[in-house]
Amino acid sequence: MKLVTSITVLLSLGIMGDAKTTQPNSMESNEEEPVHLPCNHSTISGADYIHWYRQLPSAGPEYVIHGRTSNVNNGMASLTIAEDRKSSTLILHRATLRDAAVYYCILRDHSGTDGAAPVQYLPDCGREGI
């Protein structure tokens, strides 16, 4: 029998530098199910790329995926980009407790002005220290 653990996805609105991205406050998912982390970037310019990073507890930021005009897939996640590029979604295909991290949606352009909003993804399993 497989134990299904509830995972809560906390999406925190935040600002880092000149923020150009926003996310909703929270959402929930169960372990081994897909998690869709949306990002709105209504002020995106033509040169901006959409990057996602995650930061695991007690670790530095880690690259997840990036794209500019089309959807992208890799072994870790998928990135879907709206046709007008004003929003995108990071999809974790089978979320597990190992995916507990702060996720950052960042627009990067060639001028050096970046904006980010952190997305905090935490397990909700009643255990402390995870």
Side-chain angles (χ1 to χ4, degrees), residues 5 24 30 37 39 45-46 48 53 58-59 69 79 94 115 119 121-122:
T5 304
N30 292 319
L37 303 176
C39 182
S45 76
D48 286 337
Y53 293 86
S58 303
T69 58
L79 176 62
R94 293 175 52 132
V119 179
Y121 180 70
L122 300 172

Side-chain angles (χ1 to χ4, degrees), residues 3 6 19 23 25 33 43-46 60 76 79 87 90 114-115:
L3 175 66
S6 174
Q23 278 105 356
N25 290 330
E33 291 183 359
T43 61
I44 192 167
S45 76
M76 183 184 289
L79 176 62
S87 65
L90 175 71
D114 296 333

Side-chain angles (χ1 to χ4, degrees), residues 69-81:
T69 58
S70 59
N71 299 339
V72 183
N73 295 296
N74 66 22
M76 183 184 289
S78 296
L79 176 62
T80 59
I81 302 170

Side-chain angles (χ1 to χ4, degrees), residues 12-73:
S12 304
L13 293 177
I15 296 175
M16 294 184 70
D18 181 19
K20 299 180 188 178
T21 60
T22 60
Q23 278 105 356
N25 290 330
S26 66
M27 60 188 295
E28 293 186 14
S29 177
N30 292 319
E31 189 169 15
E32 300 296 326
E33 291 183 359
V35 174
H36 296 251
L37 303 176
C39 182
N40 293 316
H41 27 79
S42 60
T43 61
I44 192 167
S45 76
D48 286 337
Y49 283 77
I50 303 156
H51 290 254
W52 280 87
Y53 293 86
R54 72 178 184 178
Q55 188 166 2
L56 299 168
S58 303
E62 169 184 75
Y63 169 81
V64 176
I65 199 166
H66 79 279
R68 183 166 173 256
T69 58
S70 59
N71 299 339
V72 183
N73 295 296

